Amino acid sequence: MARLAGLLEAPIAVRSRVRHGTVFSFAVPPGKALRALEPAVSRAKAPLGLTLQGRLMLLVEDEPAVREGLVVLLKAWGASVLDFDSVAALQAWLAGSPNDAPDLLLVDYRLPLGLTGRDALAAARRQWPGRQLPAIVITGITIGGHESKAAEHDFHLLIKPVLKNKLRAMIAFKLGVR
């Protein structure tokens, strides 16, 4: 405490009462305000170069923590998000004949019951034939071979763990925004 008081050029005060304890304090001299600080909130609201305001994202991810994290992130970027934990849950929603097609499909590669992200993409794309639905498939499988499937089924691949800046850049690319 003495060192800190010395660095701040503040005298140390001591008060003590028997059986009650001791209080050490020091008074810091007032400083000068150099300049007014700009509010940081305006910069933190949306990521640089990407806003998903008005965009509908369809997410299929079976891991609850990953799904919830992606939902929070996409919503923070301004998107509306429909999220599902399986191909079956997605198909049940599609059976209700939704009108609005998503702007982007974001799906995990490995899904329950031996299904894959390609199955989820096929189900969603059957719902809106003739409409190009851009897609990103996320996988933890680093073994090669996905590249040919990505080209064949018209999606881009991201390998886990996906950094948010990499995801943001891929979404911007797929949606044609900067």
Side-chain angles (χ1 to χ4, degrees):
M1 180 131 152
R3 183 170 179 228
L4 179 59
L7 289 171
L8 294 172
E9 298 177 7
I12 295 178
V14 178
R15 288 184 320 204
S16 185
R17 286 180 44 197
V18 177
R19 287 185 269 246
H20 285 18
T22 304
V23 174
F24 295 88
S25 63
F26 55 91
V28 179
K32 293 182 191 175
L34 298 176
R35 62 183 172 91
L37 295 175
E38 297 175 23
V41 176
S42 62
R43 289 187 207 139
K45 285 210 179 224
L48 293 176
L50 178 64
T51 179
L52 298 178
Q53 198 67 39
R55 302 287 187 143
L56 179 60
M57 305 288 138
L58 190 144
L59 171 66
V60 182
E61 168 61 63
D62 62 321
E63 291 291 330
V66 174
R67 186 176 61 256
E68 291 166 16
L70 285 169
V71 167
V72 168
L73 184 62
L74 293 168
K75 285 184 176 183
W77 291 341
S80 296
V81 183
L82 296 169
D83 61 291
F84 305 94
D85 63 356
S86 65
V87 175
L90 170 64
Q91 289 171 326
W93 177 76
L94 291 171
S97 301
N99 294 327
D100 296 331
D103 295 293
L104 180 76
L105 308 172
L106 184 61
V107 301
D108 188 19
Y109 182 79
R110 217 182 316 200
L111 295 169
L113 304 174
L115 299 175
T116 68
R118 291 192 329 251
D119 297 310
L121 295 180
R125 288 173 171 163
R126 276 192 304 272
Q127 185 71 30
W128 294 281
R131 170 111 195 256
Q132 183 182 357
L133 295 176
I136 300 170
V137 173
I138 300 174
T139 184
I141 303 169
T142 57
I143 303 169
H146 289 299
E147 296 79 13
S148 62
K149 295 292 184 191
E152 181 183 338
H153 297 279
D154 191 27
F155 63 83
H156 276 83
L157 191 67
L158 287 177
I159 305 296
K160 292 179 184 178
V162 177
L163 301 174
K164 72 178 184 177
N165 289 340
K166 190 176 254 190
L167 177 62
R168 183 174 67 196
M170 181 60 75
I171 290 171
F173 171 74
K174 295 299 286 182
L175 295 177
V177 296
R178 295 180 190 253

